Amino acid sequence: MILTKVIDEDHEEDLENSINKFMEEAEYTEIIDIKFSTAIAMQEEEQIFCFSAMIIYRI
């Protein structure tokens, strides 16, 4: 069975840590692919970053 896991964080380092944690704890037989995306938005004078990854894996 092929499944996906989507992870979204405000900082690159947090995303990296979340992906590593998922890979350590998840029960999978194979990571098929990891898709990475970055988005930036402005709210008044503040930049908002969104770093996300979709992990496609097989169990």
Side-chain angles (χ1 to χ4, degrees), residues 19-37:
I19 291 171
N20 288 335
K21 182 178 178 181
F22 171 80
M23 293 176 70
E24 288 174 4
E25 296 175 355
E27 295 182 18
Y28 63 89
T29 58
E30 173 187 10
I31 298 291
I32 297 170
D33 199 1
I34 299 176
K35 306 289 187 185
F36 176 75
S37 177

Side-chain angles (χ1 to χ4, degrees), residues 2-4 30-35 54-58:
I2 296 177
L3 299 171
T4 60
E30 173 187 10
I31 298 291
I32 297 170
D33 199 1
I34 299 176
K35 306 289 187 185
M54 179 175 67
I55 303 168
I56 305 167
Y57 63 101
R58 184 183 321 267

Side-chain angles (χ1 to χ4, degrees), residues 1 5 8 10 28 31 38-39 43:
M1 177 185 298
K5 170 72 175 175
D8 181 54
D10 294 333
Y28 63 89
I31 298 291
T38 304
Q43 184 176 9

